[in-house]
Amino acid sequence: MPTAIAVTSSDLVLPPHDRQTPPAAVQPLESLEASITAMHALIEQHGYVIALYPSSAPAGVIRRLHAVRSVLESDRVALLPLDLPPLGLALLAQQLRQLSVCDFSPGVLASAARLLAHYIYSGALLNSVAKLDRIPVSLTSHAKSWVPGAQFAVLATPRPQLVRVGQEELTGPEFGTRMLVAAGQLPVDWLTGTLAPAWHVQGVTTVSLPAESARWWSTGKVAEFAAGLYDVSVLYQLVSSVRREECHWCGLELIGDRCGFCAAPLSPPSSNELPKAAARAVSSVRALPRGAT
């Protein structure tokens, strides 16, 4: 069975691209007892569980997730906090679900979350940025929030950016993506009619706005978007191109500099290994070309 992917609410579970993409689980549940029972069942069925949660999640949700893992005394549960907006997190969970049926080990799949997050362009259309505190907002932008009819386009990841709609443009991806859009109290017309064509996206899908979005963006007057890689072959190539290491603490495979399951950092190479490691890193870099699908 593929590694299970879990998210904190059902509105972060996007429809699968195909029949091969497994569903996501929801953790935690309403009570600690129900959460423990469900998590134990996931471990028994899938072997390993990767639970994603937004860094903005309520403290009670985060405590319950850690309590479940502690009670089960399991090293097979990865708890991964992410700074992505809710729709971006939902897209990442979908990508991990796609990759879970490939031949990646649980450790590689968990540590791939940080890598894939760098390729997700997530943001929102807002009427006001007066209360926005998750990306830098200049005093000028704060002042413009009080102008009647003002709208702002905000990019949260991978590089924060805030522009006034109609005056500046958001910097988009240089590779092929599909876009998700979700309407709150604002329509998605500008996202589908202006932003999507400007970014040359290869398809737009309208989904429901996650409940967490209003809190993340500090306003209910929001239309959220997330654009990212969607072809499983490209996702596979991206993850498989990164050198794999073994976690010195739990023994699982990993990519990057930290284990997704035990959070142990990658051990630095000894001094005589540094030149060889640097040469391997340079030779293994593979950039995605513009328009790759």
Side-chain angles (χ1 to χ4, degrees), residues 148-171:
Q151 284 194 329
F152 299 87
V154 184
L155 188 65
T157 62
R159 291 172 296 277
Q161 186 183 5
L162 186 149
V163 302
R164 176 85 179 270
V165 171
Q167 296 183 1
E168 302 170 85
E169 295 183 355
L170 288 181
T171 302

Side-chain angles (χ1 to χ4, degrees), residues 16 21 36 39 57 71 92 115 127 135-136 175 192 196 201 208-210 215 219 225 234 238 240 254 256 261-262:
T21 303
I36 293 171
M39 185 69 82
V71 170
L92 175 61
L115 170 68
N127 266 2
I135 68 168
F175 49 89
T192 58
V201 302
S208 300
L209 186 74
R215 196 157 67 92
T219 177
F225 67 88
V234 177
L238 178 61
S240 61
L254 63 89
F261 278 86
C262 70

Side-chain angles (χ1 to χ4, degrees), residues 50 52 78 80 96 105-114 258-261:
I50 299 171
L52 311 178
L80 304 181
L96 291 177
S105 66
V108 168
L109 194 62
S111 51
R114 293 174 63 195
R258 186 173 298 275
C259 179
F261 278 86

Side-chain angles (χ1 to χ4, degrees), residues 246-252 262 264:
E246 182 177 297
C247 177
H248 68 90
W249 184 259
C250 69
L252 291 176
C262 70

Side-chain angles (χ1 to χ4, degrees), residues 3-261:
T3 299
I5 308 299
V7 290
T8 53
S9 63
S10 59
D11 55 15
L12 296 176
V13 182
L14 298 175
H17 283 310
D18 48 48
R19 294 181 179 179
Q20 285 71 44
T21 303
V26 175
Q27 275 286 345
L29 300 180
E30 292 184 359
S31 69
L32 179 60
E33 182 179 0
S35 301
I36 293 171
T37 301
M39 185 69 82
H40 177 72
L42 286 174
I43 296 172
E44 289 293 306
Q45 182 177 1
H46 296 271
Y48 291 84
V49 180
I50 299 171
L52 311 178
Y53 65 91
S55 56
S56 63
V61 170
I62 299 174
R63 283 197 300 267
R64 183 167 295 175
L65 281 171
H66 285 271
V68 167
R69 186 172 65 176
S70 178
V71 170
L72 292 175
E73 296 183 337
S74 176
D75 57 0
R76 296 190 174 192
V77 178
L79 302 180
L80 304 181
L82 295 156
D83 290 330
L84 289 167
L87 194 59
L89 188 146
L91 176 56
L92 175 61
Q94 186 183 59
Q95 292 174 338
L96 291 177
R97 288 159 56 196
Q98 290 177 270
L99 290 173
S100 69
V101 296
C102 301
D103 57 359
F104 293 125
S105 66
V108 168
L109 194 62
S111 51
R114 293 174 63 195
L115 170 68
L116 296 177
H118 288 296
Y119 291 87
I120 292 178
Y121 283 68
S122 56
L125 179 67
L126 306 173
N127 266 2
S128 172
V129 294
K131 297 181 180 180
L132 184 62
D133 59 0
R134 299 194 179 277
I135 68 168
V137 180
S138 66
L139 289 175
T140 301
S141 296
H142 271 297
K144 290 180 178 177
S145 289
W146 300 102
V147 177
Q151 284 194 329
F152 299 87
V154 184
L155 188 65
T157 62
R159 291 172 296 277
Q161 186 183 5
L162 186 149
V163 302
R164 176 85 179 270
V165 171
Q167 296 183 1
E168 302 170 85
E169 295 183 355
L170 288 181
T171 302
E174 296 185 350
F175 49 89
T177 63
R178 283 185 181 169
M179 180 180 286
L180 301 171
V181 297
Q185 296 179 25
L186 291 182
V188 298
D189 298 355
W190 183 83
L191 298 179
T192 58
T194 301
L195 185 63
W199 282 9
H200 304 289
V201 302
Q202 298 167 351
V204 178
T205 302
T206 301
V207 297
S208 300
L209 186 74
E212 180 68 14
S213 295
R215 196 157 67 92
W216 205 96
W217 295 104
S218 301
T219 177
K221 295 181 178 179
V222 58
E224 196 172 359
F225 67 88
L229 300 167
Y230 60 92
D231 190 313
V232 68
S233 64
V234 177
L235 293 167
Y236 183 91
Q237 179 186 5
L238 178 61
V239 175
S240 61
S241 68
V242 183
R243 177 179 172 174
R244 303 183 192 186
E245 305 282 356
E246 182 177 297
C247 177
H248 68 90
W249 184 259
C250 69
L252 291 176
E253 279 188 313
L254 63 89
I255 60 175
D257 59 1
R258 186 173 298 275
C259 179
F261 278 86

